């Protein structure tokens, strides 16, 4: 059985699909034994269609558990997290969105206005402070 650190859960609202490497994922043709990191970047959640960016490990660095045990800001003024009201994706300034040219450490006010949610494509106006 996979360890919790190897399992990833979709964070979109009302989804919660868990990718387990021991089981793979039939719909996306992901073979058993495939690590989450080895899944192609264009893979989508088989339940809600979210991208890989919507997933967090069940345990360990970057996990939901770790996030719930920390403050909702990165410790710097103006560095609050913002949540998409459409899909639940959470923008964390500490992480940024490097896949979409937003460097780690970028405050919400400094994220370009044309930036869109990497999960559902919503604009910045569809985000609220978490």
């Amino acid at each position: 059985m996979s360890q919790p650190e190897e399992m990833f859960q979709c964070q979109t609202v009302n989804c919660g699909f868990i990718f387990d490497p021991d089981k793979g994922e039939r719909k996306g043709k992901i073979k058993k034994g495939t690590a989450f990191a080895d899944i192609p970047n264009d893979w989508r959640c088989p339940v809600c269609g979210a991208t890989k960016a919507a997933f967090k490990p069940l345990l360990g660095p970057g996990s939901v558990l770790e996030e719930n045990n920390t403050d909702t800001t990165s410790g710097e003024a103006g560095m609050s997290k913002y949540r998409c009201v459409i899909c639940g994706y959470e923008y964390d300034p500490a992480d940024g969105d490097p896949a979409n040219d937003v460097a780690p450490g970028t405050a919400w006010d400094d994220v370009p206005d044309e930036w869109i949610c990497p999960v559902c494509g919503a604009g910045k106006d569809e985000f609220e402070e978490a």
Side-chain angles (χ1 to χ4, degrees), residues 22-53:
D22 284 350
K23 294 180 181 177
E25 194 273 297
R26 285 187 351 189
K27 185 177 178 184
K29 299 180 181 170
I30 306 299
K31 295 179 181 179
K32 293 178 182 181
T34 302
F36 189 78
D38 296 333
I39 295 174
N41 288 331
D42 61 351
W43 175 81
R44 299 277 184 158
C45 174
V47 175
C48 70
T51 64
K52 280 180 68 174

Side-chain angles (χ1 to χ4, degrees), residues 3 5 15 22 25 51 53 63 72 126:
Q3 297 298 312
E5 299 86 3
C15 184
D22 284 350
E25 194 273 297
T51 64
S63 70
T72 58
E126 296 294 337

Side-chain angles (χ1 to χ4, degrees), residues 6-123:
E6 300 167 331
M7 299 167 72
F8 284 71
Q9 183 175 30
C10 184
Q11 300 300 303
T12 57
V13 176
N14 298 326
C15 184
F17 172 78
I18 296 175
F19 175 79
D20 182 346
D22 284 350
K23 294 180 181 177
E25 194 273 297
R26 285 187 351 189
K27 185 177 178 184
K29 299 180 181 170
I30 306 299
K31 295 179 181 179
K32 293 178 182 181
T34 302
F36 189 78
D38 296 333
I39 295 174
N41 288 331
D42 61 351
W43 175 81
R44 299 277 184 158
C45 174
V47 175
C48 70
T51 64
K52 280 180 68 174
F55 283 75
K56 291 187 179 185
L58 290 182
L59 192 65
S63 70
V64 176
L65 180 64
E66 180 183 78
E67 181 177 290
N68 289 339
N69 289 329
T70 61
D71 189 89
T72 58
T73 64
S74 67
E76 297 178 37
M79 296 292 276
S80 296
K81 295 177 183 181
Y82 284 79
R83 181 175 292 117
C84 178
V85 298
I86 307 289
C87 70
Y89 168 81
E90 195 167 86
Y91 174 80
D92 184 347
D95 298 332
D97 184 14
N100 291 300
D101 299 321
V102 179
T106 303
W108 181 248
D109 291 340
D110 296 329
V111 173
D113 290 336
E114 61 275 4
W115 178 85
I116 59 170
C117 176
V119 175
C120 72

